């Protein structure tokens, strides 16, 4: 085998190794993406189950401390979101309807969403 043949063979081997590595990296990347997608689906299903349970549960019937704490944290989250929404409405120069929490014009006598009388 001549010098050029050997050089060509070595280059071809190196190319094959690089191509195989690239293929492996791509396969691993796809596998990681698939796993992340499956985990995301699992999380959404846990979330949906949690929402179903949260809506069915009666706080006074909960005996498990961890479940009680989680329900209390969810209630806090909901309150914090309501507070943040109220702040946002203030920034938009609107006030919150006490009946339905929709943003209303501060000069309105009645809520245009639910019809409640406003002060
Ligand atoms: Zn209202």
């Amino acid at each position: 085998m001549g010098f050029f043949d050997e050089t060509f063979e070595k280059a071809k081997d190196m190319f094959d190794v690089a191509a195989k590595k690239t293929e492996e990296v791509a396969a691993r990347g796809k596998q990681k993406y698939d796993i992340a997608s499956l985990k995301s689906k699992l999380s959404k299903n846990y979330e949906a189950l949690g929402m179903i349970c949260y809506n069915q549960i009666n706080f006074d019937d909960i005996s498990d401390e961890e479940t009680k704490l989680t329900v209390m944290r969810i209630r806090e989250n909901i309150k914090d979101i309501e507070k943040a929404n109220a702040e946002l409405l203030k920034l938009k120069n609107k006030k919150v309807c006490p009946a339905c929490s929709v943003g209303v014009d501060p000069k309105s006598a009645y809520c245009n969403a639910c019809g409640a009388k406003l002060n």
Side-chain angles (χ1 to χ4, degrees):
M1 218 190 284
F3 173 76
F4 288 109
D5 291 331
E6 270 181 46
T7 305
F8 179 77
E9 279 302 314
K10 277 183 188 164
K12 191 182 171 299
D13 287 348
M14 282 169 64
F15 178 80
D16 288 346
V17 167
K20 196 164 194 277
K21 283 267 181 224
T22 303
E23 221 170 80
E24 285 169 11
V25 168
R28 281 201 301 265
K30 191 196 172 299
Q31 202 62 25
K32 281 181 186 173
Y33 175 81
D34 289 348
I35 290 167
S37 294
L38 291 168
K39 282 182 176 175
S40 172
K41 281 182 190 170
L42 177 64
S43 289
K44 282 177 186 158
N45 283 321
Y46 275 134
E47 185 184 324
L49 177 63
M51 190 77 91
I52 291 165
C53 292
Y54 182 82
N55 290 329
Q56 289 177 350
I57 212 162
N58 182 351
F59 189 77
D60 296 328
D61 295 341
I62 305 169
S63 55
D64 177 59
E65 280 306 309
E66 199 181 337
T67 306
K68 262 188 177 171
L69 272 174
T70 304
V71 168
M72 283 158 59
R73 281 190 211 113
I74 289 171
R75 287 178 174 178
E76 277 298 310
N77 294 152
I78 291 168
K79 268 189 208 162
D80 290 344
I81 290 169
E82 284 171 357
K83 254 192 230 167
N85 276 331
E87 286 299 316
L88 179 63
L89 290 173
K90 250 190 220 168
L91 293 172
K92 288 178 171 176
N93 290 320
K94 296 206 170 200
K95 68 179 183 183
V96 183
C97 168
C100 71
S101 302
V102 156
V104 291
D105 190 291
K107 291 172 194 156
S108 296
Y110 296 92
C111 172
N112 49 7
C114 74
K117 192 172 178 359
L118 305 168
N119 299 329

